[in-house]
Amino acid sequence: MAEMENVSYVPLKQPIVLIVEGFNVTRQQGYPLFVLLLIVYAVMLLGNITVVTVIARNAKLHKPMYVMMCNLAVSDLLGGTVIMTQLMTHFLTGDRTVSYVGAFVQAASVHTYHSVVATILTAMAYDRYVAICQPLHYHAIMTTRRLVLLCFSAWFFVLCLVVARLIMNVGIPLCGTLITHVYCSHGSILSLACLPTPINDLFGNCSIYTISTGCFLGIVFSYAKILKACIVKKEKNSWSKAIHTCASHLTIYLLFAISLFLIVMTYSMKNINPNAKKFCAIFFIIVPPTVNPIIYGIATKNIRTNIVKFFKSSVSPK
């Protein structure tokens, strides 16, 4: 330890400009990729903004499940915008640079997106559990006060962890500028530190694994209770009601979970194309935010109906 403390290093001085490695593509390859990502980004924006607008404007949709969908859409907008706008710039101009402040803002935004999605999906699972297992007491349990508390707690708890991590990491002396990733994360920034940061790494890993594990167990518990209730009731339509009630939530959660599993799987494989590995690393923050509004529209009749009415009223002459 004493030897480590005596090692001399020359930290970078502000203003620090970092370089994100990104995808290994030529400028000619970058142009069609930019167009493709622009289309995906436009679909993501249109879908999520439409969901938020429709739910906000329709008082009949001010119910727990729809309000949580609205929170999920907001977090999707945050995560998708932060990553896709950077990638579009990279593909169009070839610019890979990011400012010191911009790097931490991006890292905090991605951390917020991942954690808020996990916590909101857990709250939605609890809502589905109450709706199916305790339907007669649903309105007494899922009151407006409890709904606000659930959504507020999801954002507040995550933001507290994100701010704490920012406070710990900002100001650590850096001796490198190359981020060997597609976007800036706390881990990739700390890898440039002049000295090891075991406490920061431990806090970051613990916060991520605590949220991920806790949310996973909460969702498994809720669906285990739902499964048990369907088996005990032995009603012909109990399974169809459960599937109809949980279809959109379960589909969204499975897509999100598979996206995260792709990261673990690809990074444990050595003989895989670097660009394919990087795409799998950003899959969770591009595909789910884009597909989620489509899933709402297909699986949720009230959302689908109100979206159709919204667009009809928007295009019809006054």
Side-chain angles (χ1 to χ4, degrees), residues 244-313:
H244 176 74
T245 305
C246 302
S248 59
H249 172 265
L250 191 57
T251 305
I252 290 169
Y253 175 71
L254 288 176
L255 179 62
F256 183 68
I258 291 171
S259 302
L260 295 179
F261 176 73
L262 278 177
I263 300 176
V264 178
M265 184 181 69
T266 54
Y267 272 82
S268 63
M269 300 169 62
K270 295 182 180 179
N271 299 324
I272 186 172
N273 183 279
N275 282 341
K277 184 180 290 188
K278 290 172 183 175
F279 173 75
C280 290
I282 61 171
F283 187 89
F284 83 104
I285 206 168
I286 290 182
V287 176
T290 305
V291 176
N292 286 350
I294 300 174
I295 295 174
Y296 300 149
I298 294 175
T300 311
K301 182 179 179 180
N302 285 339
I303 294 291
R304 181 172 66 251
T305 303
N306 282 280
I307 286 177
V308 172
K309 289 180 180 179
F310 172 74
F311 280 109
K312 282 184 176 180
S313 63

